[in-house]
Amino acid sequence: FEERLNDPNIAVLDTRSYHAFAAQHIAGAWHLDLNGNFPTFAGWVLPTDKDILLVADDYKKALEALTWAQRVGVDRIVGCLDGGMADWAMKGLETSRFKLISAGDLHDMIAGYTDFVLIDVRAPLEYEDNHIKGAINIPVAELRTRHAELDKEETTVLICSSGNRSSLGASILKQHGFKDVCNVAGGMTGYSKAGYTRECRACVN
């Protein structure tokens, strides 16, 4: 697996939870939570010109990801990481990470003096229904190109409805050299449940 990473025609797809991905992942990996809307985004955002190596919780989960991916035409998955990230870490191999913050953390950042950019990666209809004042709406798939509109040196916080799409967005920004990236756990759903904004009807639907 490590040797294959040196091939420019290889991409890595991590299918674990967004909590696990934020804590530790292989640098440059795409993140699509298998428990999220995996097949839709797999068919939408993954590169079609590269072979794909999987990182999963276990081999059974890797096979499940393979099945869903093939159903949406992603048919270049060629292997998975034996032993998962636990084995990777025990071999002393390099990993990457980014911050996972709570609704309360985000509220404190907004109310305080922290300098950051908030990117709402939901669909435009979700954003129009309810969003945090000052948030920039860039649907997650568009970050593949629109990352160029953002400053890599700024603290960039991503939010969606739950934390899954924003984790994908964080993985895209990390691929493009963004260093200070945060994902809001629970997304707008958690932010509204904490009482900081009204419930987003589109998110609930």
Side-chain angles (χ1 to χ4, degrees), residues 118-150:
L118 179 61
I119 307 298
D120 189 323
V121 301
R122 297 175 300 157
L125 285 177
E126 294 173 280
Y127 179 83
E128 289 168 12
D129 182 78
N130 187 32
H131 63 269
I132 297 170
K133 184 178 179 180
I136 301 168
N137 184 216
I138 303 180
V140 66
E142 295 181 17
L143 276 176
R144 292 174 296 173
T145 55
R146 293 184 62 188
H147 64 85
E149 300 173 17
L150 306 173

Side-chain angles (χ1 to χ4, degrees), residues 100-110 196:
L100 195 62
I101 64 174
S102 68
D105 292 331
L106 176 60
H107 182 68
D108 289 343
M109 291 172 71
I110 293 170
Y196 300 126

Side-chain angles (χ1 to χ4, degrees), residues 32-175:
L32 288 174
D33 191 328
L34 187 59
N35 295 315
N37 198 359
F38 179 85
T40 297
F41 283 98
W44 193 2
V45 304
L46 292 178
T48 58
D49 58 344
K50 296 183 178 184
D51 288 338
I52 296 173
L53 295 173
L54 285 178
V55 177
D57 288 319
D58 51 47
Y59 188 62
K60 182 179 179 181
K61 290 291 187 182
L63 290 178
E64 184 180 345
L66 173 66
T67 299
W68 279 113
Q70 288 177 333
R71 287 177 181 173
V72 293
V74 179
D75 56 4
R76 294 185 63 172
I77 294 175
V78 296
C80 68
L81 178 60
D82 188 22
M85 286 304 298
D87 193 54
W88 183 270
M90 285 191 290
K91 286 182 168 56
L93 299 171
E94 289 296 319
T95 61
S96 183
R97 62 187 175 87
F98 54 81
K99 296 174 187 174
L100 195 62
I101 64 174
S102 68
D105 292 331
L106 176 60
H107 182 68
D108 289 343
M109 291 172 71
I110 293 170
Y113 298 97
T114 305
D115 186 19
F116 69 101
V117 176
L118 179 61
I119 307 298
D120 189 323
V121 301
R122 297 175 300 157
L125 285 177
E126 294 173 280
Y127 179 83
E128 289 168 12
D129 182 78
N130 187 32
H131 63 269
I132 297 170
K133 184 178 179 180
I136 301 168
N137 184 216
I138 303 180
V140 66
E142 295 181 17
L143 276 176
R144 292 174 296 173
T145 55
R146 293 184 62 188
H147 64 85
E149 300 173 17
L150 306 173
D151 186 348
K152 295 180 182 180
E153 304 305 316
E154 289 190 286
T155 298
T156 306
V157 178
L158 297 101
I159 192 167
C160 64
S161 62
S162 64
N164 285 330
R165 278 177 289 176
S166 46
S167 185
L168 168 59
S171 73
I172 293 171
L173 293 187
K174 292 283 284 184
Q175 290 170 11

Side-chain angles (χ1 to χ4, degrees), residues 1-7:
F1 195 101
E2 183 186 14
E3 291 173 359
R4 294 292 300 273
L5 291 182
N6 296 319
D7 185 343

